[in-house]
Amino acid sequence: MHHRNRRSLRVLSIWGRVQILLDDLRHAVRILRRNTGFTITAVVTLALGIGANTGVFSVVNGIILKPLPYNDPDQLVMIYVARADRGWTRGSMSQPDLRSVQSEARSVQAAAGYNPTELTLTGLGAAESVPGAQVTDGLLAVFQEPAFLGRDILSEENVPGGPRVIVIGYAFWQDRFGGDRNVLGKTLQISGEPHEIVGVAPPGFDYPQGAQVWAPLYLNVEGCGRDCHFLQVIGRLADGSSVNAASNEITELSRHLEERYPVLNYGKRFNLVTLEQEVVGEVRTALLVLLGAVGIVLLIACANVANLLLARASSRSHEFAMRSALGATRGHIVTQLLLEALVLAALAGFVGLVLASWTVSLLLSLAPETIPRLDQVTLDGTVLLYTLSAVVIITVLFGLTPSLWLARVPATEVLSQGGRTGSGGPARRRSRSALLVAEVALSLMLLLSAGLLLRSFSRLNAVQLGFDKEDVLTFRLALPSDPYDYDVHRTARFFGSLEDRVRGLPGVDAVASVYGSPLAGYGVSTSIHFLDRPAPPEGQEDDITIRVVTPGYHDALRIPVVSGRILEKGDRGGVARVALVSQSLRDRYYPDQDPVGRRIRIDMNLGHGSEDPWTIVGVVGDIRSQDLAEEPEPEIYVPHAQMGSRIMSVLVRMNPGVDNLLPAIRREVQALDSNVPLRNVEMLEETVDRHFGPARFYLLLFAVFACVAVTLSGIGLYGVISYLVSRRTREIGIRMALGAKGGDVGRMVLSQGIRLALVGVTLGTIGAYFSSQVLQSLLYEVRPGDPMAFVGATALLLGVVVLAIVLPAKRASSVDPVEALKSE
């Protein structure tokens, strides 16, 4: 009986506490409803910070934090070739080196090589490009993904003259074959040749880069040995093996291979990185910095609201003193104020989630296509948990300080003042001052970051491309291997005829073709031997980029000729082989002489087997062909008719104002070969603009966050100074009654605010200097300590600060002493 009574009493006690808590919660809601101005200001301020944070976190979560959609993705690695003497860090691998990794690296359970490409699908109407890859055997095994139907490509099929087989993607199978389970054994025409379907990939598998068709590479060990690098290699670590252990092992393996093959593997070192690092490594730093930036915005918002609460707490001190005198405990008072803070934070969290959904949509619309995994960005459970955590932390951050202060104020002290309060005691003043200083310092850090990015973007935007990007349409053509493979004359005739046809279209100014269009992200490099100087040891030759071009390429892009001549139609097969070199090549290898007339040997051919040397006939200007942020590297241009390439980008310079030429161009291509679709169609301006995309995106976001931060700081400073003026009205009235001038009072208020701002600027400058080091990888030709960025950011912030202080200072200087004394 006694135990039952005790349990009943405990239940009643708990229920009583819940009732008290609910009463306090209802009271908190009523208090906030009566103070709508304060409530709306606090909620909107916090919602801005929460919304921006949640939106950016959803991007970080989708791109960085979510695991890659593969089995045990942390075990997947990319294996590259590094050559310090040639500047390689992530070079492609040769097929024999891949076989050595497969057979000798015990820490690598499986490895496969591939070349991402677009395969030309024919025989189903008009020729079309399908994203795919040429692969070695074992790609599905690396991902531990068994084929949905059939099997993967076999090693015996990956040989010269091997059977024409193909694996298709699950989505492709559903779309083109209606999910027919009898698809195995049927054929698809790839570039006009029938390929037997031997497998269907599992659902969702589309590696690399959205591939839906996989074909063998038909590797030729004799024709392409250890010095022939063309494979991207992906591997899976063996069970129990770490990334560090595997990296050490394959590095050691590369040393052993160099000992075995001192010429072909000279200087090679195998370089291993995780697939996750490969996919998101380039954007990780930028996104985390952005997350830190919006975190600063949230801190500033919290500081603003905390200052509002401190000011409001001063005006409510009499209320809580009365409650304390009537028996309310300190714990009860703290709980009451924390509940008010919780209601504010919860409302702000809800509004922030609405803002976050808009923020995510805006970010996705502004984000450049080069940022990976944007399809994974959603407001999912992880993001909601993040927002909930932010609400709880905010409640503690800005709710606890005024709560503890009010709970400590002796009731007798407040009641003895008869309800009159000044600007607050020293503790309150210090708290408000500290919060304002923190706001100013954090705002300066954001402003400086935005300033550095602006300076960097300005430098990048001023980069001289070396070519004219205006009014140039580009597209890529890949001729089928049959009948063009290794037939230089047939390939040259195709592109020559196409250029003549397109050149005859109305509105066309110039036409040319190139293997490796500027900034298109692909090209070819090989070792070079200058015949007028001693040959370097075999395997230690310089590696230089080769551009295969048709006559008129440099005219079409308006690349200047430095000396000599450009390539002409007479530079064809059967005559002396000629080449152009870039100015940077001349500056590096012939700094004091003209290289025209010198001869070189190029250790590469794309269909022409001759070993004849090439004679330099001209020097042309440098262009930014790989990356806007990289200095031009030496390049060599050779005639298409003398080198050969089935894959070329066609550049069509149009007269200003001309558009809609694409249908006519497409007809001309189809008239020459119906099995050749146009790929990667875009204006050259769009190609260049895509390289500005990430820098523009980060700059825009930092600028927005910095503006929000500075605005919040200005509003916070204005609000607090205004509050202090209103609380010191009686003091100001007495000063003015005793002879103080309005200007003196204004200067007093102004100096008080300026002192706080200067402390914040000083601390912000120190913090900004160190925090800006994180931006180093995002900057171009700008140092983190750039003085112009520091001066500009500080001047802008001080301007906002002065504006925020001047208005309340002006109001203070116009106080009527009589009215001020009457108000008390």
Side-chain angles (χ1 to χ4, degrees), residues 289-494:
V289 168
L290 282 175
L291 187 60
V294 292
I296 290 176
V297 172
L298 182 59
L299 286 176
I300 293 172
C302 288
N304 251 351
V305 175
N307 254 327
L308 285 173
L309 285 172
L310 276 172
R312 189 163 171 268
S314 296
S315 64
R316 297 180 67 189
S317 58
H318 189 268
E319 169 199 341
F320 282 100
M322 288 291 293
R323 295 180 65 178
S324 180
L326 293 174
T329 65
R330 288 186 176 184
H332 191 190
I333 293 174
V334 170
T335 301
Q336 176 65 54
L337 289 170
L338 280 177
L339 283 174
E340 291 181 23
L342 179 61
V343 172
L344 283 176
L347 288 172
F350 176 78
V351 177
L353 279 176
V354 175
L355 293 176
S357 66
W358 297 342
T359 303
V360 169
S361 299
L362 181 62
L363 290 175
L364 292 179
S365 66
L366 295 175
E369 60 185 33
T370 51
I371 294 182
R373 307 191 72 201
L374 288 174
D375 59 314
Q376 299 294 314
V377 177
T378 57
L379 290 174
D380 58 12
T382 303
V383 176
L384 295 178
L385 182 61
Y386 174 85
T387 305
L388 178 62
S389 302
V391 168
V392 173
I393 293 171
I394 286 170
T395 301
V396 174
L397 275 178
F398 72 73
L400 200 56
T401 302
S403 304
L404 293 177
W405 173 79
L406 272 177
R408 288 199 306 267
V409 175
T412 54
E413 176 186 324
V414 176
L415 293 175
S416 66
Q417 296 177 0
R420 295 193 307 271
T421 57
S423 61
R428 272 178 289 166
R429 287 196 294 271
R430 283 195 297 271
S431 297
R432 283 194 292 266
S433 298
L435 289 171
L436 281 176
V437 166
E439 287 187 51
V440 173
L442 293 172
S443 297
L444 182 60
M445 291 170 64
L446 275 187
L447 266 182
L448 175 65
S449 298
L452 289 172
L453 288 174
L454 179 60
R455 294 265 294 153
S456 177
F457 185 77
S458 177
R459 294 284 182 91
L460 191 63
N461 202 40
V463 161
Q464 296 297 315
L465 299 174
F467 59 88
D468 186 356
K469 65 179 180 177
E470 306 294 332
D471 301 313
V472 178
L473 175 69
T474 70
F475 57 89
R476 193 151 57 98
L477 300 178
L479 304 184
S481 56
D482 185 18
Y484 297 99
D485 211 3
Y486 300 111
D487 192 333
V488 178
H489 302 296
R490 187 188 293 268
T491 303
R493 278 199 305 272
F494 176 91

Side-chain angles (χ1 to χ4, degrees), residues 586-769:
R586 186 199 66 178
D587 293 343
R588 178 180 298 182
Y589 296 100
Y590 298 95
D592 301 318
Q593 52 190 306
D594 191 344
V596 172
R598 310 281 178 169
R599 297 196 302 164
I600 56 177
R601 176 164 284 115
I602 300 175
D603 296 333
M604 178 193 77
N605 71 78
L606 298 176
H608 199 293
S610 172
E611 296 295 328
D612 294 340
W614 302 75
T615 301
I616 299 173
V617 296
V619 178
V620 294
D622 287 326
I623 67 171
R624 302 270 174 158
S625 58
Q626 298 294 338
D627 193 290
L628 294 177
E630 294 180 4
E631 290 299 318
E633 289 291 325
E635 294 188 341
I636 297 175
Y637 300 89
V638 298
H640 179 252
Q642 293 182 339
M643 175 64 80
S645 173
R646 291 189 297 107
I647 302 173
M648 298 285 281
S649 292
V650 182
L651 312 175
V652 182
R653 176 170 292 282
M654 303 176 295
N655 294 324
V658 174
D659 58 3
N660 204 29
L661 273 178
L662 191 58
I665 293 173
R666 202 182 300 274
R667 285 194 297 271
E668 298 298 341
V669 174
Q670 293 297 300
L672 288 172
D673 194 323
S674 60
N675 290 330
V676 181
L678 274 65
R679 304 175 178 179
N680 307 107
V681 180
E682 67 178 354
M683 299 299 293
L684 188 55
E685 290 175 89
E686 297 172 345
T687 306
V688 174
D689 190 64
R690 188 166 58 247
H691 285 258
F692 284 108
R696 186 187 299 111
F697 178 66
Y698 302 137
L699 170 62
L700 176 63
L701 292 185
F702 262 100
V704 170
F705 298 150
C707 287
V708 171
V710 172
T711 302
L712 289 176
S713 293
I715 292 172
L717 195 58
Y718 171 80
V720 170
I721 298 298
S722 295
Y723 170 78
L724 292 176
V725 168
S726 67
R727 304 303 292 175
R728 296 175 66 182
T729 301
R730 185 170 182 271
E731 173 196 340
I732 292 172
I734 293 174
R735 285 174 177 268
M736 297 186 72
L738 293 175
K741 303 295 183 183
D744 297 331
V745 173
R747 282 190 293 273
M748 177 190 70
V749 175
L750 188 62
S751 65
Q752 183 179 14
I754 290 293
R755 280 198 301 271
L756 293 177
L758 289 177
V759 174
V761 166
T762 302
L763 294 178
T765 300
I766 297 171
Y769 177 79

Side-chain angles (χ1 to χ4, degrees), residues 24-290:
D24 286 341
L25 183 60
R26 284 191 288 268
H27 181 69
V29 172
R30 285 196 301 270
I31 289 291
L32 294 175
R33 285 179 61 185
R34 285 202 299 265
N35 296 270
T36 53
F38 164 80
T39 303
I40 292 174
T41 301
V43 168
V44 170
T45 300
L46 289 176
L48 284 173
I50 292 175
N53 266 269
T54 304
V56 173
F57 177 78
S58 66
V59 175
V60 172
N61 178 56
I63 294 175
I64 297 178
L65 302 182
K66 282 185 180 178
L68 298 176
Y70 307 118
N71 294 322
D72 297 325
D74 56 324
Q75 296 296 101
L76 294 171
V77 294
M78 298 293 297
I79 306 175
Y80 292 106
V81 172
R83 280 282 302 263
D85 58 325
R86 295 185 177 179
W88 298 356
T89 55
R90 295 189 179 184
S92 53
M93 184 174 284
S94 70
Q95 185 259 349
D97 285 340
L98 168 60
R99 296 304 186 202
S100 295
V101 170
Q102 290 173 326
S103 61
E104 300 183 45
R106 300 291 175 238
S107 57
V108 179
Q109 176 180 313
Y114 62 90
N115 271 331
T117 186
E118 289 188 357
L119 301 177
T120 302
L121 184 64
T122 56
L124 296 176
E128 61 177 305
S129 293
V130 178
Q134 293 177 305
V135 300
T136 67
D137 46 285
L139 183 65
L140 291 180
V142 169
F143 288 89
Q144 295 181 341
E145 295 276 10
F148 183 78
L149 291 177
R151 59 174 175 80
D152 197 1
I153 293 168
L154 304 176
S155 58
E156 54 266 29
E157 293 168 335
N158 232 317
V159 295
R164 298 297 189 222
V165 297
I166 202 165
V167 174
I168 61 175
Y170 185 89
F172 184 91
W173 171 60
Q174 291 285 338
D175 182 47
R176 302 304 178 96
F177 293 94
D180 180 10
R181 300 186 74 87
N182 296 317
V183 69
L184 300 180
K186 294 184 178 182
T187 60
L188 273 180
Q189 285 196 3
I190 304 296
S191 298
E193 296 184 10
H195 286 64
E196 179 187 355
I197 299 173
V198 298
V200 176
F205 183 79
D206 60 354
Y207 189 87
Q209 302 173 9
Q212 282 298 298
V213 180
W214 297 267
L217 272 163
Y218 305 114
L219 299 171
N220 186 340
V221 178
E222 295 179 0
C224 193
R226 290 188 182 270
D227 59 343
C228 183
H229 303 90
F230 65 99
L231 287 174
Q232 296 187 48
V233 175
I234 186 167
R236 175 173 290 277
L237 301 182
D239 292 340
S241 180
S242 67
V243 172
N244 286 338
S247 181
N248 292 335
E249 184 189 11
I250 67 163
T251 299
E252 191 62 28
L253 173 60
S254 64
R255 290 194 179 96
H256 291 322
L257 291 176
E258 184 181 16
E259 293 173 359
R260 283 182 246 167
Y261 310 100
V263 174
L264 299 179
N265 279 54
Y266 173 80
K268 282 187 193 177
R269 291 296 178 266
F270 296 158
N271 183 22
L272 184 148
V273 297
T274 65
L275 181 60
E276 186 265 347
Q277 182 181 350
E278 171 72 14
V279 172
V280 302
E282 292 188 0
V283 300
R284 177 189 295 276
T285 299
L287 291 179
L288 292 179
V289 168
L290 282 175

